[in-house]
Amino acid sequence: MVTGIIYSEDYLNHVTGSHVESPQRLIATIKLLKERGIWENNPKYQIITPRKATLDQIRTVHSDHMIQRARDVAMEAKSGGNLEYLDGDTVMCGDSYEIALLAAGGVLEGVDQILKGKIQNAFALVRPPGHHSNRDYSRGFCVFNNAAIALRYLITEKNIQKAVIVDWDCHHGNGTQDIFYEGIPGTDKGDFMYISSHQDGRTLYPGSGFINEIGKGRAKGRILNMPLAPRSTDEVMRELYDEIVMPVLEEFKPEFIIVSAGFDAHFTDPITNLGWSVQWYGEMLQKLKVVADKIAQGRILVTLEGGYELKAISSSIVNCLQALGGDPCTEKNDNAPKTDPDILGYTRENVIKAIKDRFSEFWKFQK
Ligand SMILES: [Zn+2]
């Protein structure tokens, strides 16, 4: 079946000046996708035109005040003809508010098409990203939390009982965690998990995402953080996926998998310190696809978060689309780090043990 690629040229109009979260990220990615034959004229892939999310859909996870502020700051940018800031590092141009609605709506369009069976799975090539934005604040290059809006929509509008957000961005998705920390906001329906792997918060923005942040009340045990020491490699991740992520997903049995996909854990990323290769991104998605095929009718929606080295992000997205389409991944790095780090006082063995110990009352981690 077909893999959807959700994209609009409007996503390039979220102009950010000299900021790393730039339209060039998508321009470079689409250029390489075309060179690899993953764009128009390939029957395995279908370009999907996004729609704008409605205000009611944005309001499911964000406060009116926060939405109003995003609109006001964009209006200010438009009337002054300048870029304005939503927070210290989140830039808005005059069109950014409308494009943020289109980013959230793009993810919802992907959800709808997957559930209708028009496509098997999808990659949403959207900007601005979302996972740092919580109920009350847009921040960390993000305006609206696209993945969180999609999960809430699946549970409350689409009759999905269980959905998961797997977040592999190098930064902890503190906005997503905040939104779901005490359960899915505004509803008693359904169940969720938020599973995040990220560079340890003691060494990188936003400074959260520790193993003991596990959710509260009915969400207790539904948030699973895997903090990684700087320079952690593919090999570390492979073990975390085999020991933690895959067994927990098989036990939780989500009907839909959303991936918050940042590509800034690549070893060449300019603003972070992890050590992953482009091939790991393809392999990780192949693993998730195995679970999705087994228990979620193959439903995976991948949405773009961060990733700031243009060659790394474009090559990794090629691999991800090939993984979604069931093809072998073509892009490779030969020079990714191989050494297992042993800093910050923990190695992969004791991170895995600490996670298993902390979550033993919730999950069995049986392979
Ligand atoms: Zn990031």
Side-chain angles (χ1 to χ4, degrees):
M1 223 167 60
V2 177
T3 291
I5 304 174
I6 299 148
Y7 178 69
S8 160
E9 285 192 355
D10 290 345
Y11 292 137
L12 306 179
N13 297 332
H14 172 52
V15 175
T16 54
S18 57
H19 199 285
V20 288
E21 200 293 285
S22 74
Q24 290 304 320
R25 301 169 64 231
L26 291 183
I27 291 168
T29 298
I30 288 159
K31 181 168 179 284
L32 190 64
L33 287 172
K34 286 180 176 169
E35 284 171 24
R36 296 293 184 268
I38 308 171
W39 199 250
E40 283 131 345
N41 306 320
N42 183 333
K44 293 190 80 166
Y45 300 94
Q46 188 187 330
I47 314 293
I48 292 171
T49 304
R51 65 178 194 252
K52 281 183 188 171
T54 65
L55 276 183
D56 281 344
Q57 287 163 344
I58 303 290
R59 281 191 196 111
T60 59
V61 306
H62 295 301
S63 66
D64 285 345
H65 169 263
M66 181 259 211
I67 298 166
Q68 186 64 43
R69 179 165 152 71
R71 188 166 29 199
D72 289 350
V73 170
M75 291 283 280
E76 213 178 305
K78 183 158 261 175
S79 59
N82 292 316
L83 299 178
E84 296 288 344
Y85 284 81
L86 261 181
D87 84 338
D89 52 21
T90 310
V91 182
M92 296 288 268
C93 71
D95 293 329
S96 294
Y97 172 75
E98 298 295 332
I99 299 167
L101 294 177
L102 193 67
V107 178
L108 297 182
E109 182 65 27
V111 164
D112 284 344
Q113 296 222 12
I114 290 169
L115 291 177
K116 284 179 191 156
K118 291 186 174 176
I119 53 176
Q120 176 64 62
N121 49 38
F123 198 119
L125 283 173
V126 302
R127 300 176 57 246
H131 76 153
H132 293 305
S133 292
N134 68 6
R135 182 176 183 278
D136 295 314
Y137 296 100
S138 298
R139 57 191 179 187
F141 319 168
C142 302
V143 180
F144 302 130
N145 195 319
N146 308 315
I149 292 166
L151 189 139
R152 172 69 166 60
Y153 177 74
L154 279 164
I155 300 292
T156 59
E157 305 295 322
K158 295 287 148 183
N159 214 24
I160 291 289
Q161 306 299 315
K162 290 184 190 179
V164 62
I165 297 174
V166 176
D167 187 335
W168 71 47
D169 190 278
C170 195
H171 303 88
H172 178 235
N174 55 336
T176 309
Q177 172 169 300
D178 286 354
I179 286 167
F180 296 110
Y181 207 74
E182 296 184 34
I184 302 165
T187 181
D188 292 328
K189 286 172 66 179
D191 200 356
F192 81 99
M193 283 199 77
Y194 175 65
I195 301 176
S196 177
S197 53
H198 46 266
Q199 187 175 326
D200 189 288
R202 289 170 289 179
T203 63
L204 188 69
Y205 178 91
S208 54
F210 298 101
I211 292 170
N212 60 4
E213 297 163 22
I214 66 166
K216 262 188 181 166
R218 63 201 165 103
K220 201 173 173 193
R222 289 334 197 214
I223 290 171
L224 198 161
N225 286 307
M226 300 181 289
L228 302 163
R231 301 200 302 277
S232 290
T233 59
D234 296 354
E235 196 50 48
V236 174
M237 285 303 293
R238 198 169 285 121
E239 204 161 323
L240 278 166
Y241 264 65
D242 290 347
E243 294 288 329
I244 306 282
V245 179
M246 304 296 281
V248 167
L249 286 176
E250 295 228 5
E251 201 176 339
F252 180 59
K253 294 191 173 45
E255 295 159 60
F256 201 110
I257 297 175
I258 297 168
V259 181
S260 267
F263 297 93
D264 40 5
H266 189 267
F267 72 97
T268 61
D269 193 88
I271 65 169
T272 63
N273 314 95
L274 290 187
W276 305 0
S277 68
V278 297
Q279 54 268 37
W280 169 248
Y281 287 102
E283 187 181 331
M284 192 160 45
L285 195 49
Q286 283 167 345
K287 287 177 184 289
L288 294 175
K289 190 166 181 290
V290 168
V291 180
D293 287 346
K294 200 166 154 188
I295 58 186
Q297 298 177 44
R299 295 159 173 166
I300 303 182
L301 186 135
V302 183
T303 182
L304 182 61
E305 301 284 359
Y308 307 104
E309 204 290 312
L310 298 182
K311 183 84 188 81
I313 179 174
S314 51
S315 302
S316 301
I317 292 176
V318 165
N319 281 351
C320 284
L321 277 161
Q322 289 166 333
L324 288 174
D327 287 332
C329 299
T330 53
E331 309 307 299
K332 289 190 171 55
N333 296 132
D334 297 323
N335 50 345
K338 298 263 189 304
T339 333
D340 202 14
D342 180 7
I343 44 181
L344 290 172
Y346 58 80
T347 60
R348 65 173 114 156
E349 287 81 10
N350 47 36
V351 169
I352 288 170
K353 184 175 181 314
I355 292 170
K356 286 187 174 177
D357 286 350
R358 184 66 191 85
F359 285 88
S360 60
E361 62 183 294
F362 307 103
W363 308 112
K364 296 192 184 73
F365 299 103
Q366 268 168 5
K367 284 192 276 182

